[in-house]
Amino acid sequence: MTTRAEATRARLQSAALDLFEQRGYRAVTVEEIAAAAGVSHMTFFRHFPTKERVLLDDPFDPVIAAAVAAQPAGLPAIERVARGLLSLVPLLDQEPTASARRGIAIAAREPELQAGMAANTAATERAIVEAASLPGGEQGMRVAAAACLAAVTTVLFAWALEGTSRTIGALVAEAVTTVVPALADAPVPAFAGATP
Amino acid sequence: MTTRAEATRARLQSAALDLFEQRGYRAVTVEEIAAAAGVSHMTFFRHFPTKERVLLDDPFDPVIAAAVAAQPAGLPAIERVARGLLSLVPLLDQEPTASARRGIAIAAREPELQAGMAANTAATERAIVEAASLPGGEQGMRVAAAACLAAVTTVLFAWALEGTSRTIGALVAEAVTTVVPALADAPVPAFAGATP
DNA sequence: GAACAGATGTTAGTGACTAACACTTGAGTC
DNA sequence: GACTCAAGTGTTAGTCACTAACATCTGTTC
């Protein structure tokens, strides 16, 4: 069931993506996005708290957190996070990635939006720590999550910007094994959790 | 020699820090900072491009980049960055840290400022890649730099927020060895490069 | 068709940031 | 001391992201 609000939200997102690609993020005003979607600027801000959130909408947190939590608790934090991310690789390659790539490519070109992606990362980091950390081991898990997510973000930018034909999954795997080289040889079982 | 511009800039920074601590970053306007420093808001923007940059001023990039570049080029990227950061630990504990801690503590409490710190991190990342990467190995070095810097940023936040009595250096060492556990046992020679 | 709630519009702000232009201050020159 | 020149600063008038308060519309339910 698609409610009216969901339809408006989708129109806003689509219009924003088009306009950003045509003229750049900075040059497009919220007014223009709203007008292109046939609504007022107030309606824009009821659906997205800031201009940048129309582009950086990341519903993946719970999946990632669950994948990390599913790894053996006895491992060092960094390896646990790395293996959790690796287990998501097959799932990543199934997802529709065209619009995600458009959004990330725009973000990768604008420094202020890269800061916005960092906010996403911080949220994902919190989700991982809450889902997976052992009592007393929070700091280590937080550090490990931050490190791995930063690595993944880096390759996502490269993926969106360069004309790489490789899949997201392959690049994420490369990022993770850059951080934990030992995982390059040891295959990790795919994560069987629910899709978002 | 202290020029007039430098004095104004220092007054603005000092006034901003005081006001932010008293009433929170959001609640303080640029007008108020400028007034407290005895100048107009335009003068503020001539010294700092944005409100957040008055707080997040990070001159450490070249030192970090040099420390990483000084590590053996044959190592895996992640280990090279990690060892570079570890070599800076003694230097970190020498630096005056009081005002740095004040600034980071304010940033750690405000999500929008954490995004700003991410911008700093991105700049440091570029500096590392440019100084240290081998031809063809850029992507791996970029990923490694992002991962290690994110780990360090995480402990810096913890350091500034909690009443930890431990030194910055000790916490940075802990962050790095969380990312590369193998380095916990192998001591790394101190970096002898110039201070900023 | 009346009532009600969710969705949207209008209006009037605040505050970060920019551009253009005028003014002041200080160091060196004659 | 008046003169010059540039760096530093002020004034003014904007644009745009974002907020608050209140009015209106639209679809659903009874």
Side-chain angles (χ1 to χ4, degrees):
Chain A
M1 184 184 74
T2 308
T3 69
R4 185 159 60 123
E6 281 165 5
T8 301
R9 185 187 157 90
R11 281 207 316 281
L12 283 167
Q13 262 178 329
S14 164
L17 217 55
D18 290 343
L19 289 172
F20 289 159
E21 281 177 345
Q22 286 167 29
R23 320 208 318 254
Y25 177 80
R26 293 274 300 276
V28 176
T29 71
V30 171
E31 280 282 350
E32 290 169 328
I33 300 170
V39 296
S40 78
H41 82 281
M42 273 309 302
T43 294
F44 178 95
F45 284 115
R46 288 196 181 98
H47 288 278
F48 302 98
T50 66
K51 180 183 175 183
E52 71 176 34
R53 296 312 292 176
V54 73
L55 199 63
L56 308 173
D57 207 25
D58 173 19
F60 267 96
D61 288 3
V63 186
I64 297 176
V68 172
Q71 302 300 314
L75 295 173
I78 188 77
E79 195 170 335
R80 203 165 162 216
V81 176
R83 292 174 76 102
L85 288 173
L86 272 185
S87 74
L88 288 173
V89 164
L91 194 145
L92 280 176
D93 287 336
Q94 287 173 22
E95 291 289 314
T97 53
S99 77
R101 185 168 191 160
R102 290 173 70 193
I104 296 175
I106 295 168
R109 280 177 233 273
E110 297 275 350
E112 47 182 302
L113 286 176
Q114 297 183 30
M117 284 210 61
N120 278 358
T121 301
T124 308
E125 188 186 313
R126 278 191 294 278
I128 291 178
V129 171
E130 281 166 24
S133 80
L134 311 171
E138 285 194 1
Q139 179 72 352
M141 183 57 78
R142 190 176 304 279
V143 170
C148 286
L149 291 175
V152 169
T153 301
T154 302
V155 294
L156 283 183
F157 282 157
W159 167 73
L161 281 182
E162 301 160 16
T164 316
S165 62
R166 309 169 63 190
T167 66
I168 307 190
L171 285 163
V172 167
E174 182 182 313
V176 170
T177 55
T178 298
V179 176
V180 186
L183 286 184
D185 312 312
V188 170
F191 179 61
T195 32
Chain B
M1 184 186 73
T2 306
T3 71
R4 185 159 62 121
E6 282 166 4
T8 302
R9 185 187 158 92
R11 282 205 318 278
L12 283 167
Q13 260 178 329
S14 165
L17 217 55
D18 290 343
L19 289 171
F20 290 159
E21 280 177 347
Q22 287 168 28
R23 320 206 321 253
Y25 177 80
R26 292 275 299 276
V28 176
T29 71
V30 170
E31 280 281 350
E32 291 169 327
I33 300 171
V39 296
S40 79
H41 82 281
M42 273 309 302
T43 293
F44 178 94
F45 284 115
R46 287 198 181 99
H47 287 278
F48 302 98
T50 66
K51 179 183 174 184
E52 71 175 37
R53 297 312 293 176
V54 73
L55 199 61
L56 308 172
D57 207 24
D58 175 18
F60 267 96
D61 288 5
V63 185
I64 298 177
V68 171
Q71 301 301 313
L75 296 173
I78 187 77
E79 194 169 337
R80 203 166 163 215
V81 177
R83 293 174 77 102
L85 289 173
L86 272 185
S87 75
L88 289 175
V89 164
L91 194 146
L92 280 177
D93 288 336
Q94 286 173 22
E95 290 290 315
T97 53
S99 77
R101 185 168 190 159
R102 289 171 73 195
I104 296 175
I106 295 168
R109 281 177 231 277
E110 297 275 349
E112 48 182 302
L113 286 176
Q114 296 183 31
M117 285 210 58
N120 277 358
T121 301
T124 308
E125 189 186 312
R126 277 191 294 276
I128 291 178
V129 170
E130 281 166 23
S133 81
L134 311 170
E138 285 194 5
Q139 179 73 350
M141 182 57 76
R142 190 177 303 280
V143 170
C148 288
L149 292 175
V152 168
T153 301
T154 302
V155 296
L156 283 183
F157 282 156
W159 167 72
L161 282 182
E162 300 160 16
T164 316
S165 62
R166 309 169 63 191
T167 65
I168 308 190
L171 286 162
V172 167
E174 182 182 314
V176 169
T177 54
T178 298
V179 176
V180 185
L183 286 185
D185 313 312
V188 170
F191 179 62
T195 32

